[in-house]
């Protein structure tokens, strides 16, 4: 019996690896392809579509096995609201991160020779970093705040520009954006996957999440923070890039992975799930009971 439980858990963990791999290969693949082709193709609209369909396909592929969290924020919020066991949280997040790292590794295998010509290791600059993981402000739209001198380790240059970035894009704005959008992500996820919801539909849920939410959200929020709302989306590529030889540079500009990403996203996800459970869902149950009468 114990061996069956372990085997069942491993299948679910591996499914999270596969689902996150699919998501990242589609989403990051479009972004990296845009980088190596000097922005000529694919365009921003195509990148947005690739992320949306990446979510849809990942959910269809592994949803019946693991629930297709493919996102540490979903996993933690589900544990807090007792939708999954706490013992599965760390393995889920670990396999999600490894799946994202594997997808980034594939992209490096395909285009690594071109990327290293643009930014030779060991210093990683924003041009490459922005295509693999999220940074705030997004270098793809605000490149004027990402000169290479600013990212050199122990560099005294760029001090005035560093101050300007903090004035124009203070960390609290990025943190609030990530918290709010992750809040809404969990709210939408539960609105279409909770069996108590009148919109519960297992077949249509992937489209509601991937196309109904992720694509429109990326249309505007990605221009600010890169639209992470998923720690594996950045942690995995960071691991792959580090193993590829990039040791310093744009991994944690201004300490944003403490103040902007991660913590605000986790908090936003938990608040979104709690808002559904304790604010919206009770009223739905009330309406349901009244209709029966």
């Amino acid at each position: 019996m114990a061996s069956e439980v372990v085997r069942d858990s491993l299948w679910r963990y591996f499914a999270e690896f596969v689902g996150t791999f699919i998501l990242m290969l589609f989403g990051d693949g479009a972004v990296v392809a845009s980088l190596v082709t000097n922005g000529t193709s694919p365009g921003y609209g195509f990148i947005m579509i690739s992320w949306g369909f990446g979510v849809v396909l990942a959910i269809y592929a592994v949803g019946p096995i693991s629930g297709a969290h493919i996102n540490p924020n979903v996993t933690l919020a589900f544990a807090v609201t007792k939708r999954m066991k706490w013992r599965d949280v760390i393995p889920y997040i670990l396999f999600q991160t490894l799946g994202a790292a594997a997808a980034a590794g594939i992209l490096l295998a395909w285009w690594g020779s071109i990327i290293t010509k643009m930014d030779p290791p060991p210093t990683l600059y924003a041009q490459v970093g922005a295509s693999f993981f999220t940074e705030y402000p997004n270098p793809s739209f605000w490149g004027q705040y990402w000169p290479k001198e600013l990212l050199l380790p122990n560099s005294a240059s760029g001090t005035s520009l560093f101050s300007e970035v903090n004035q124009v894009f203070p960390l609290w704005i990025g943190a609030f954006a990530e918290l709010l959008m992750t809040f809404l992500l969990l709210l939408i996820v539960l609105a279409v996957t909770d069996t108590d919801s009148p919109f519960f539909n297992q077949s249509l849920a992937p489209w509601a999440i991937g196309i109904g939410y992720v694509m429109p959200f990326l249309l505007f929020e990605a221009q600010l923070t890169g639209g992470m709302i998923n720690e594996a989306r950045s942690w995995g590529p960071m691991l792959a890039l580090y193993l590829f030889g990039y040791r310093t540079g744009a991994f944690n500009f201004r300490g944003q992975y403490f103040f902007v990403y991660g913590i605000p996203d986790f908090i936003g996800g938990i608040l979104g799930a709690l808002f559904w459970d304790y604010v919206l869902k009770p009223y739905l149950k009330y309406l349901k009971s009244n209709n029966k009468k």
Side-chain angles (χ1 to χ4, degrees):
M1 184 68 178
S3 62
E4 290 181 4
V5 172
V6 171
R7 187 163 58 247
D8 173 69
S9 296
L10 289 176
W11 273 113
R12 288 186 291 111
Y13 302 157
F14 182 65
E16 285 297 298
F17 175 96
V18 173
T20 314
F21 177 88
I22 293 172
L23 167 65
M24 293 298 296
L25 195 65
F26 273 76
D28 250 18
V31 183
V32 175
S34 180
L35 169 78
V36 298
T37 55
N38 296 316
T40 57
S41 176
Y44 180 58
F46 182 81
I47 292 172
M48 181 182 68
I49 292 171
S50 292
W51 277 111
F53 274 93
V55 172
V56 172
L57 296 176
I59 296 175
Y60 275 130
V62 303
I65 302 173
S66 67
H69 295 188
I70 59 175
N71 185 333
N73 295 307
V74 175
T75 297
L76 184 60
F78 275 29
V80 170
T81 54
K82 300 179 181 179
R83 288 178 168 85
M84 68 178 295
K85 294 180 173 63
W86 277 100
R87 69 175 182 233
D88 289 328
V89 170
I90 292 178
Y92 260 56
I93 293 175
L94 175 62
F95 276 79
Q96 290 159 1
T97 302
L98 292 176
I106 294 293
L107 298 176
L108 286 168
W110 286 345
W111 291 307
S113 58
I114 300 174
I115 290 171
T116 52
K117 287 182 179 178
M118 301 170 69
D119 279 334
T123 301
L124 178 69
Y125 297 107
Q127 188 175 24
V128 172
S131 66
F132 277 93
F133 56 85
T134 51
E135 294 162 293
Y136 169 69
N138 187 348
S140 297
F141 297 92
W142 306 100
Q144 66 268 37
Y145 295 116
W146 291 87
K148 291 191 173 184
E149 295 78 14
L150 194 65
L151 300 172
L152 288 173
N154 303 318
S155 174
S157 60
T159 304
S160 59
L161 183 57
F162 189 91
S163 175
E164 183 183 341
V165 176
N166 287 332
Q167 290 178 18
V168 179
F169 293 104
L171 293 177
W172 74 265
I173 290 180
F176 177 72
E178 286 292 314
L179 186 150
L180 176 62
M181 300 315 294
T182 313
F183 173 94
L184 294 176
L185 170 66
L186 265 296
L187 184 61
I188 299 302
V189 166
L190 291 177
V192 296
T193 60
D194 193 313
T195 53
D196 288 321
S197 171
F199 297 107
F200 170 73
N201 187 308
Q202 287 182 316
S203 299
L204 295 179
W207 294 96
I209 298 168
I211 306 302
Y213 179 74
V214 172
M215 279 179 55
F217 137 74
L218 286 175
L219 185 62
F220 63 92
E221 209 270 336
Q223 300 179 37
L224 185 65
T225 67
M228 185 170 78
I229 66 169
N230 183 343
E231 289 80 2
R233 180 258 183 280
S234 275
W235 294 347
M238 284 179 178
L239 174 60
L241 286 162
Y242 184 84
L243 295 175
F244 192 72
Y246 290 105
R247 298 290 192 266
T248 60
F251 285 109
N252 198 19
F253 177 53
R254 294 194 298 163
Q256 69 234 25
Y257 279 92
F258 180 82
F259 295 106
V260 175
Y261 304 108
I263 291 177
D265 296 272
F266 280 131
I267 294 173
I270 292 170
L271 291 177
L274 292 174
F275 187 80
W276 168 261
D277 281 349
Y278 293 101
V279 178
L280 299 183
K281 186 174 176 177
Y283 185 65
L284 288 174
K285 286 185 174 181
Y286 167 77
L287 290 178
K288 197 173 183 179
S289 64
N290 272 11
N291 288 336
K292 286 182 179 179
K293 295 177 184 178

